Amino acid sequence: MAKILNYGSLNIDYVYEVPHFVTPGETLQSKGRSIFAGGKGLNQSVALARAGGDVYHAGAVGKADGQLLINVLTENKINSEFLKRRNEASGHTIIQVDDNGQNCIILYGGSNQTITTEDIDETLSHFEKGDYLVLQNETNNIESMINKAYEKGLKVCFNVSPYSDELLKLPLDKCSYLIVNEIEGSSMVSKPADTDPYELIDELTKKYPNSSFVLTLGSRGSILKQVGCDPISCKSFKVQAVDTTAAGDTFLGYLITNLATGMNPALAIKCATAASALAVQTKGATPSIPKANAVLDFIKKSKVDVLVDKL
């Protein structure tokens, strides 16, 4: 089995339950507060591991406040030997979750922004051609990570979130997989956000012909377009959302592990979609990420054929 290295963020999430998102000038009473381990990187590592991957997490946490995050890695049997401890505080977020289960997030980078090129060189020396590198845009030195991993023959999977136009300066053509939503994807090719998703896939693959794409479309579903293959379209399972915080991270983690372990791509995206459907029904980030047996049970019990010719 290929090893999966996730060089990613680890955040402490402060989650506030609110009737609606705070508006300018408003003071809003929260109905509750919870503290969870999170961060796109940590969430994705947990999903990668719960899907059955051989997962290593690299990054950095604060010496004073990072134990909560380290505990989650340990509990999920994620190798943390490449995790650095810094004097800088761990990254954290302030998350509002409204009555419809939607969220908005304020992010503080903290120790996630302290990764050095020496850290990257030492970590990548333990991986080889055919292994996977998973990245998100919540750490520094991403360009170095992509270039060095590409040189070693790793399959780079880059979730371009949070998106900024600065990302277009990165060597994205060296990524085996680019994971984007419709807003991110349309920005990458200067198209309107409401562009037909299949037209958007075509434009993305023209710009980055050596990269496979995963285009996520929220409640509509997702499309997997691998190099040299026809698109695979998958509708979302219809469930009642409680908290969407880690839904995208769950989807990505399951999809990458499934592809890394050689699963048929259509089944891989179906399982990833089922995992994200389970995740939105539970509060919190890492607590909401299901285990593989729960995902398989969900698929067996579902009567819906989510794999379709076109969304």
Side-chain angles (χ1 to χ4, degrees), residues 3 9 23 46 77-78 83 144 229 237 256 272-273 296:
K3 292 191 288 188
S9 59
T23 57
V46 172
K77 298 179 173 59
I78 298 165
L83 187 68
S144 178
C229 300
F237 290 92
I256 297 303
T273 303
L296 294 177

Side-chain angles (χ1 to χ4, degrees), residues 71-104:
N71 289 346
V72 172
L73 295 175
T74 302
E75 290 163 5
N76 286 279
K77 298 179 173 59
I78 298 165
N79 188 302
S80 61
E81 65 181 290
F82 308 118
L83 187 68
K84 306 300 181 183
R85 280 71 166 172
R86 305 291 201 219
N87 292 324
E88 175 76 34
S90 296
H92 73 256
T93 61
I94 303 297
I95 303 175
Q96 299 177 58
V97 179
D98 71 11
D99 288 341
N100 297 315
Q102 296 300 307
N103 67 72
C104 64

Side-chain angles (χ1 to χ4, degrees), residues 75-231:
E75 290 163 5
N76 286 279
K77 298 179 173 59
I78 298 165
N79 188 302
S80 61
E81 65 181 290
F82 308 118
L83 187 68
K84 306 300 181 183
R85 280 71 166 172
R86 305 291 201 219
N87 292 324
E88 175 76 34
S90 296
H92 73 256
T93 61
I94 303 297
I95 303 175
Q96 299 177 58
V97 179
D98 71 11
D99 288 341
N100 297 315
Q102 296 300 307
N103 67 72
C104 64
I105 302 172
I106 297 173
L107 172 65
Y108 171 70
S111 57
N112 293 315
Q113 300 295 319
T114 65
I115 297 167
T116 67
T117 55
E118 291 77 15
D119 293 335
I120 296 167
D121 288 338
E122 197 279 328
T123 297
L124 288 178
S125 69
H126 298 272
F127 296 85
E128 58 188 24
K129 182 177 180 179
D131 289 336
Y132 282 68
L133 173 66
V134 178
L135 301 173
Q136 321 80 33
N137 191 30
E138 290 186 347
T139 61
N140 64 317
N141 266 332
I142 291 175
E143 181 174 3
S144 178
M145 294 175 189
I146 293 174
N147 282 329
K148 292 174 184 293
Y150 179 81
E151 290 168 7
K152 288 181 67 69
L154 274 69
K155 297 180 180 180
V156 180
C157 309
F158 186 23
N159 179 199
V160 299
S161 178
Y163 180 82
S164 71
D165 288 338
E166 290 296 308
L167 286 177
L168 298 180
K169 299 177 183 178
L170 295 174
L172 300 181
D173 56 314
K174 295 180 179 179
C175 296
S176 297
Y177 285 89
L178 290 167
I179 299 91
V180 303
N181 63 29
E182 53 197 320
I183 296 174
E184 295 158 351
S186 60
S187 297
M188 290 171 69
V189 291
S190 301
K191 290 286 185 178
D194 60 354
T195 299
D196 178 84
Y198 295 93
E199 179 184 345
L200 190 53
I201 283 283
D202 286 343
E203 291 298 317
L204 288 165
T205 53
K206 286 177 185 175
K207 186 170 183 178
Y208 303 102
N210 297 319
S211 299
S212 298
F213 278 87
V214 181
L215 177 63
T216 60
L217 301 164
S219 61
R220 285 186 290 165
S222 58
I223 303 169
L224 171 62
K225 175 63 174 74
Q226 294 180 300
V227 175
C229 300
D230 292 331

Side-chain angles (χ1 to χ4, degrees), residues 3-18:
K3 292 191 288 188
I4 304 173
L5 169 64
N6 186 358
Y7 225 130
S9 59
L10 305 98
N11 295 326
I12 301 170
D13 292 340
Y14 298 94
V15 182
Y16 295 84
E17 298 175 28
V18 293

